[in-house]
Structures are given as C-alpha cells and as structure tokens.
Amino acid sequence: MARDERVTLLEVHQALPEEQFQSLKFLLEGQVPAGLLLPASRPELCRILLQRFPGNSLRVTAGILRQLGRLDLIQRFQLPLEERIPEEAPWEPNGETPKVQGDPASGPRPGGIPAPPMNSRRLTEKDLMQVAQRLGKEWQEVGILHLGLERSRLEQIQEENPGNPVLWHFEMLREWQRRERQEATVSKLRSCLQHARLDPGILDFLQSLQGD
C-alpha cells in the first residue's frame, strides 16, 4: 500500500507543470517547513509528504490541488478528499473561505465587524492564485500604486521566492489581503485594480466572481 501511495504521489507531481508544482510547494508551507520544501525536487517532495503524513499524503495533496483548480488530477488519480476540515488547517480543502460565526444576511458580526455586502464575498487563496497567474511584469507598479504596498516589502517577497514570478504576485496579493482583513473582498480588489495597467482578463475574472 505504501508503495502504491508513493507511485501515485509521484505521478501526480509529474503531471503538474513546473509553475504549479512550485505553487503546490508554496501552499504546503503552513504544514511543512519552508526549508524542506523550497529545494525539494518532485521525488524528494514525495518522500517528505510520505514521512510527515503517513497514509494521508494523497489526501493532503488533493486539498492543495483543489486550491490550484486541478480537479482533473484529483479525478484522474482518484485522490481522496477531506470530508471535514481540521481546526488547525491553515487552508480550506474546498478552496472556500472559512466560515465566520454569523453570515452576511444576519447583520453585524461578533466584535462589531460589519459583514461584507451580499454580492461581494471575501477572496479565497484560490482566487488570489488565479489573479496572480494573470499578472505581468508591471506587478510591482500595481502593488505600489493601486494596492498601497511598500516597495521594500515587494523586494522582500522576491528574495523569499527566487525565480518564481507567480509566487511574487500571489504573495503580494496575500499581503494586501492580510492588511484589508474582513474588507478583502472581490469587489474591493476589483475597485483597486480598475485603473491599473494589467491584463483586462483580470477584471473580467473578478467580475465573474462577483456573480458567483
């Protein structure tokens, strides 16, 4: 059984393009130390996951694949998915934002935090990754002029994720999301990016999310 798990895991990793393989490692950082993940090759990552999640590595991988939008790989390799979300998990296996007590229709949330409007849900990591994949070379200009981030922080992001532009874009968007907290909604990000020099497909994508 262990051998079957290893073989399947390696086949899943080999089916990912390099960019998505790096994204998978990035999204695993909440559960595996970055020092182990960043230099790991595909076979090495299989070994790490099998050691840290014995008998459960395929389930963990499936959760990350859902965030990357690779449901096709989950189906092709018949990967198991979590039926419920562990409390300590830093991400949602179904790519959705964790539910907060109370919902937009029930008025203010505990602690006096207003709920986002009904038609503007909060952004998930999957949403941010899909925006990140569409950003181009002007990402720093977007971050400084339209998201209000510091240039020094953007340079730090580059140093922490060498040679991986998609992760630069993703981490920049997460920095904005952390700052905005409850206000990090689809409509807020679209409003921020409305006058930026970027692929028009990004605004179209965010518009489609508002209609979900």
Side-chain angles (χ1 to χ4, degrees), residues 84-92 98:
R84 67 179 194 79
I85 303 159
E87 290 183 0
E88 69 276 13
W91 44 265
E92 295 283 317

Side-chain angles (χ1 to χ4, degrees), residues 25-146:
K25 291 199 291 184
F26 181 79
L27 293 173
L28 278 167
E29 281 190 21
Q31 303 176 78
V32 180
L36 293 176
L37 287 172
L38 293 179
S41 64
R42 293 168 202 254
E44 288 169 348
L45 183 60
C46 290
R47 177 180 54 78
I48 291 169
L49 293 178
L50 288 166
Q51 288 177 349
R52 296 188 72 90
F53 308 103
N56 206 36
S57 63
L58 294 177
R59 195 180 303 274
V60 170
T61 300
I64 301 294
L65 290 176
R66 290 194 74 164
Q67 287 184 268
L68 294 175
R70 293 306 306 267
L71 299 181
D72 58 313
L73 293 183
I74 295 174
Q75 294 173 351
R76 186 198 310 176
F77 295 101
Q78 298 183 331
L79 302 180
L81 284 168
E82 293 282 2
E83 294 301 322
R84 67 179 194 79
I85 303 159
E87 290 183 0
E88 69 276 13
W91 44 265
E92 295 283 317
N94 60 5
E96 295 177 357
T97 305
K99 291 182 174 60
V100 180
Q101 189 175 9
D103 58 58
S106 62
R109 299 185 179 189
I113 301 172
M118 283 287 286
N119 63 348
S120 184
R121 66 172 176 80
R122 293 188 65 204
L123 289 150
T124 66
E125 287 193 342
K126 179 181 174 182
D127 298 333
L128 295 182
M129 179 58 75
Q130 290 179 287
V131 172
Q133 290 172 340
R134 291 171 166 86
L135 283 173
K137 295 180 180 179
E138 299 81 12
W139 70 282
Q140 286 196 354
E141 176 185 320
V142 170
I144 296 168
L145 294 181
H146 302 282

